[in-house]
Amino acid sequence: MLTSIHPKLPMRNKSVTKDYYINQLGFEQFGGDYDGYLMMQKDNIQIHFFEFKELDPKENYGQVYIRTNDIDTFYQWLLDNKIAIHPNGHLELKPWKQKEFSLLDPDNNLLTFGQDA
């Protein structure tokens, strides 16, 4: 019955979030332009954002785990485009048999990308 999931993360500033996901991660806007709400997509995933202007990024624990089928190429593309990788989240093989790396978006939402090793 369930077909997909679209995580919903907080954002302080729609234009900053939109710029990061489009111009740095290669997403595109999905759907219409709504006040206080943003939907982004890339390949087969969507991430939705709701406005939370009072969000303290140091206290934001928004997280999403995104599966990929070519993590090495995507990771290298990010490096080539000088996209900041989380200081503790560089590409590595984890004990749970996943190759993973992480990014932090402008609101401190943790984006972890993973692929079966």
Side-chain angles (χ1 to χ4, degrees), residues 29-86:
Q29 187 168 349
F30 175 79
D33 190 11
Y34 305 101
D35 190 36
Y37 201 80
L38 177 65
M39 296 179 286
M40 303 300 295
Q41 73 177 15
K42 181 179 175 93
D43 301 326
N44 293 317
I45 70 159
Q46 286 183 21
I47 303 175
H48 294 206
F49 298 89
F50 63 94
E51 188 174 66
F52 183 9
K53 291 183 180 184
E54 299 79 26
L55 176 70
D56 179 352
K58 294 177 186 170
E59 295 184 12
N60 181 14
Y61 296 101
Q63 299 180 40
V64 63
Y65 192 99
I66 302 168
R67 294 276 185 189
T68 179
N69 61 8
D70 193 359
I71 199 164
D72 295 304
T73 300
F74 185 53
Y75 185 75
Q76 189 59 53
W77 180 85
L78 293 168
L79 294 176
D80 292 346
N81 287 283
K82 298 180 180 20
I83 308 303
I85 305 299
H86 188 288

